[in-house]
């Protein structure tokens, strides 16, 4: 197919181009391409690389009542996300190659591309060493959903090269110290405080990366059980530090930490996590309209940096030869987030009722139109390939 008259970002300015897609890849990007392919007229829309969400919990297994790979991926596609990296705190957790293979089977339901983190209890090093094509090993240094908090953290740093952590406060320092000692690549999930930003600012290197979530950027701390999450929502000063962290390049990525739970579970309290794949990009586009971000920055945070950090092959850029993972965005479209319109199985969002300007209207995954103006086409995604 051919996308005609899309505006794409080139050297910081939007220029009108056609994008020719053949065999799931971007074949050519130019002005006025002549072709007999099926035309998608993108007049008035902006084309950006598909969003790569480096932090989702698509549940499934014994928690498929919360979300499964089909519903989670439909929600992702509706939010302009074309690839997700899924966390291992499942029930049962992903601690062995056998567990991971079971998850790979479940993920075949996904309409977006998928990659996985491997879990650890601190003692499954032989299994980790056998695992192939994973994003990183996820180390929980705090208690959160799944009760995977690891005692013997050092053993994991000593034996694994690429590590993602759920660390808060002092544990951020501890993770960084261990990463320096054992020369790891370290991905710090959902950074949420000024203090953490200051630590990372001091220790930043080409092997230490930090993620922020939309909820820590856009929600105010409150006491409703629906907004119970790990890390919890923080003060206005912390929120400001996160935004400064984005401006200064201390924050490398925005990950949704899409962590769905059923409405009844949330109401009864003590249940950490909120859904987020459908609102990540709209919130960022709205922030562009409010001049808090630039489109260039959003593409860096959500496409280019995940590719660089995790070594993802053939994605993250609108370039000839790359996978045709593309989102068409209407930067002026105004729409309200509504629980009833969501694709996530849990059917609620902490952003319900928020009117946002800037929405994805079409999501193309491997050259297939998977989300088209409110409708999902059930065409399956592929595994993400890590090139290392
Ligand atoms: C996540 C979940 O429910 O899986 N919950 C959360 O509050 N963020 C786990 C996590 O990322 O810590
Ligand atoms: Zn976490
Ligand atoms: Zn998480
Ligand atoms: Zn929970």
């Amino acid at each position: 197919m051919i996308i005609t008259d899309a505006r794409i970002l080139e050297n910081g300015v939007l220029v009108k181009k056609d994008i020719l897609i053949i065999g799931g890849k971007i074949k050519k990007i130019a002005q006025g391409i002549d072709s007999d392919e099926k035309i998608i007229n993108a007049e008035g829309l902006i084309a950006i690389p598909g969003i790569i969400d480096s932090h989702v919990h698509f549940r499934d297994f014994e928690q498929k009542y919360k979300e499964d790979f089909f519903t989670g991926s439909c929600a992702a596609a509706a939010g302009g996300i074309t690839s997700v990296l899924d966390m291992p705190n499942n029930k049962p957790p992903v601690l062995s190659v056998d567990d991971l293979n079971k998850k790979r089977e479940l993920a075949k339901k996904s309409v977006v591309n998928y990659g996985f983190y491997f879990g650890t209890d601190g003692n499954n090093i032989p299994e980790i060493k056998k695992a192939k094509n994973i994003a990183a090993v996820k180390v929980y240094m705090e208690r959160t959903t799944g009760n995977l908090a690891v005692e013997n953290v050092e053993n994991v740093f000593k034996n694994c090269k690429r590590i993602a952590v759920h660390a808060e406060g002092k544990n951020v320092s501890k993770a960084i110290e261990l990463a320096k000692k054992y020369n790891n690549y370290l991905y710090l999930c959902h950074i949420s405080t000024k203090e953490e930003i200051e630590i990372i600012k001091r220790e930043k290197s080409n092997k230490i990366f930090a993620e922020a979530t939309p909820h820590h950027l856009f929600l105010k701390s409150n006491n409703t059980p629906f907004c119970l999450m790990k890390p919890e929502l923080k003060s206005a000063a912390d929120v400001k530090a996160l935004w400064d962290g984005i401006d200064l390049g201390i924050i490398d990525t925005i990950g949704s930490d899409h962590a769905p739970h059923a409405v009844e579970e949330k109401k009864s309290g003590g249940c950490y996590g909120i859904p987020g794949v459908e609102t990540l990009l709209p919130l960022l586009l709205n922030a562009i309209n409010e001049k808090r971000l630039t489109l260039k920055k959003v593409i860096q945070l959500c496409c280019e940096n995940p590719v660089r950090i995790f070594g993802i092959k053939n994605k993250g850029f609108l370039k000839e030869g790359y996978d045709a993972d593309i989102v068409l965005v209407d930067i002026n479209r105004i729409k309200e987030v509504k629980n009833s319109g969501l694709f996530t199985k849990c059917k609620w969002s902490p952003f319900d009722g928020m009117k946002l300007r800037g929405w994805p209207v079409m999501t193309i995954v491997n050259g297939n139109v998977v989300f088209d103006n409110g409708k999902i086409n059930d065409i399956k995604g592929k595994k993400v390939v890590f090139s290392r």
Side-chain angles (χ1 to χ4, degrees):
M1 67 187 191
I2 181 161
I3 302 171
T4 57
D5 294 325
R7 285 181 296 155
I8 67 170
L9 199 60
E10 260 183 19
N11 307 316
V13 286
L14 287 169
V15 286
K16 231 184 217 185
K17 291 275 169 87
D18 298 341
I19 306 170
L20 179 65
I21 299 170
I22 293 180
K25 307 270 180 203
I26 298 172
K27 176 85 177 167
K28 192 174 177 186
I29 301 178
Q31 248 147 11
I33 301 175
D34 202 24
S35 158
D36 301 329
E37 299 289 324
K38 179 178 173 251
I39 291 175
I40 291 175
N41 180 0
E43 182 78 53
L45 303 175
I46 298 172
I48 62 172
I51 302 300
I52 300 170
D53 189 344
S54 308
H55 189 160
V56 307
H57 304 264
F58 278 179
R59 312 296 192 200
D60 225 314
F61 291 105
E62 287 165 40
Q63 294 178 321
K64 55 175 178 278
Y65 67 93
K66 295 179 198 263
E67 193 82 284
D68 63 48
F69 266 93
F70 180 67
T71 55
S73 67
C74 289
I81 292 164
T82 53
S83 297
V84 294
L85 304 183
D86 184 69
M87 289 294 173
N89 62 333
N90 300 106
K91 198 175 174 184
V94 177
L95 299 176
S96 71
V97 170
D98 193 42
D99 298 330
L100 181 61
N101 287 339
K102 285 180 184 145
K103 181 134 104 178
R104 289 194 196 283
E105 273 308 305
L106 295 175
K108 287 180 179 167
K109 299 193 286 279
S110 178
V111 299
V112 299
N113 303 313
Y114 43 85
F116 306 100
Y117 293 87
F118 205 81
T120 185
D121 55 7
N123 303 312
N124 62 336
I125 306 298
E127 286 296 316
I128 296 172
K129 295 209 156 148
K130 276 191 276 172
K132 297 230 164 60
N133 202 45
I134 57 167
V137 178
K138 177 67 181 286
V139 179
Y140 289 90
M141 296 176 77
E142 322 274 341
R143 252 202 87 202
T144 181
T145 308
N147 293 327
L148 268 182
V150 176
E151 287 282 341
N152 197 356
V153 171
E154 184 153 359
N155 193 37
V156 186
F157 278 76
K158 197 187 217 163
N159 287 290
C160 308
K161 196 167 160 201
R162 290 179 181 267
I163 292 181
V165 285
H166 178 134
E168 300 182 36
K170 294 257 182 303
N171 274 336
V172 170
S173 309
K174 184 176 169 189
I176 292 173
E177 287 318 309
L178 286 171
K180 287 203 297 195
K181 181 167 173 192
Y182 294 107
N183 204 20
N184 308 91
Y185 288 91
L186 179 66
Y187 184 72
L188 296 155
C189 293
H190 44 44
I191 289 306
S192 67
T193 70
K194 185 167 183 239
E195 174 202 21
E196 291 164 359
I197 288 285
E198 278 161 7
I199 298 166
I200 299 163
K201 186 178 182 180
R202 278 200 303 276
E203 303 287 350
K204 189 92 184 153
S205 74
N206 58 2
K207 296 183 101 172
I208 293 177
F209 308 103
E211 168 196 270
T213 72
H215 42 278
H216 292 113
L217 291 167
F218 295 105
L219 289 179
K220 284 198 184 71
S221 167
N222 66 68
N223 291 321
T224 73
F226 280 93
C227 284
L228 191 63
M229 64 190 70
K230 287 279 222 157
E232 61 191 53
L233 294 174
K234 299 291 175 358
S235 72
D238 291 310
V239 174
K240 180 172 185 305
L242 285 187
W243 280 101
D244 291 344
I246 288 177
D247 290 341
L248 296 171
I250 298 164
I251 295 294
D252 298 285
T253 65
I254 310 287
S256 70
D257 194 6
H258 179 80
H261 297 282
V263 167
E264 290 309 317
E265 291 175 306
K266 289 299 285 188
K267 274 186 186 157
S268 53
C271 189
Y272 302 111
I274 57 161
V277 281
E278 272 159 283
T279 42
L280 180 149
L281 181 58
L283 286 163
L284 297 179
L285 295 174
N286 189 67
I288 291 172
N289 278 315
E290 290 177 343
K291 309 270 185 267
R292 303 177 79 182
L293 278 175
T294 62
L295 184 62
K296 183 168 187 237
K297 189 75 181 184
V298 170
I299 293 170
Q300 281 171 354
L301 290 163
C302 301
C303 311
E304 297 173 0
N305 289 349
V307 160
R308 180 170 61 86
I309 294 166
F310 296 100
I312 296 170
K313 223 171 160 175
N314 264 319
K315 299 192 184 295
F317 296 86
L318 294 184
K319 270 192 197 161
E320 291 166 16
Y322 276 62
D323 294 341
D325 293 344
I326 302 169
V327 197
L328 300 183
V329 154
D330 182 345
I331 195 72
N332 291 315
R333 180 164 187 188
I334 299 171
K335 206 178 85 180
E336 188 179 315
V337 179
K338 282 207 183 96
N339 285 346
S340 59
L342 297 172
F343 285 91
T344 173
K345 202 179 273 186
C346 73
K347 289 279 174 206
W348 67 274
S349 163
F351 302 102
D352 176 59
M354 212 180 257
K355 211 175 250 179
L356 301 175
R357 178 170 185 175
W359 284 84
V361 294
M362 183 179 280
T363 306
I364 297 165
V365 182
N366 308 312
N368 300 310
V369 177
V370 163
F371 174 76
D372 185 0
N373 232 318
K375 284 200 298 289
I376 294 287
N377 293 322
D378 185 3
I379 305 168
K380 302 309 182 191
K382 293 181 179 172
K383 68 174 185 201
V384 167
V385 178
F386 301 98
S387 61
R388 48 182 156 74

